[in-house]
Amino acid sequence: MLRIQRAANGKIVYTLSGRIDPEDIDELRRLFGLESSAVHIALNLKELALVDGDGVEFLAGCEAEGMALENCPAYVRKWIDQRRGQKI
């Protein structure tokens, strides 16, 4: 189960807790799409417990679009960097 909290203070920070399941990705895209394009979005991943390949792909795409991945777990960062290296 994924818990999503939104906070705003000069930038929008979504704190993601739990695990990202494939069905959560569409909801996250919808939420991010509601934000103004002029606002910087950060994802706080400190409480993220589990991410599969689809979740990593989604997070890598978020980062590529300019979102900051704050407190990214080391295994997720490594997986994103490996995927990025394969695409270069």
Side-chain angles (χ1 to χ4, degrees):
M1 183 166 112
L2 180 67
R3 190 171 111 207
I4 305 165
Q5 290 182 302
R6 182 186 181 277
N9 187 14
K11 67 179 178 180
I12 305 298
V13 178
Y14 283 93
T15 300
L16 306 181
S17 304
R19 66 176 186 250
I20 297 177
D21 290 324
E23 59 271 9
D24 298 321
I25 293 172
D26 287 336
E27 178 64 14
L28 289 167
R29 283 191 178 115
R30 186 190 71 76
L31 288 172
F32 300 160
L34 295 173
E35 302 294 347
S36 166
S37 61
V39 175
H40 180 72
I41 297 175
L43 304 179
N44 181 352
L45 306 177
K46 184 176 183 177
E47 297 177 18
L48 196 62
L50 186 62
V51 182
D52 66 4
D54 291 334
V56 169
E57 185 88 20
F58 170 72
L59 293 172
C62 289
E63 188 173 54
E65 292 175 11
M67 293 182 202
L69 302 183
E70 298 176 351
N71 303 305
C72 187
Y75 82 95
V76 174
R77 170 53 52 204
K78 183 176 179 180
W79 206 352
I80 289 171
D81 292 344
Q82 286 174 342
R83 293 177 81 85
R84 186 177 296 135
Q86 292 172 356
K87 292 181 181 182
I88 294 175

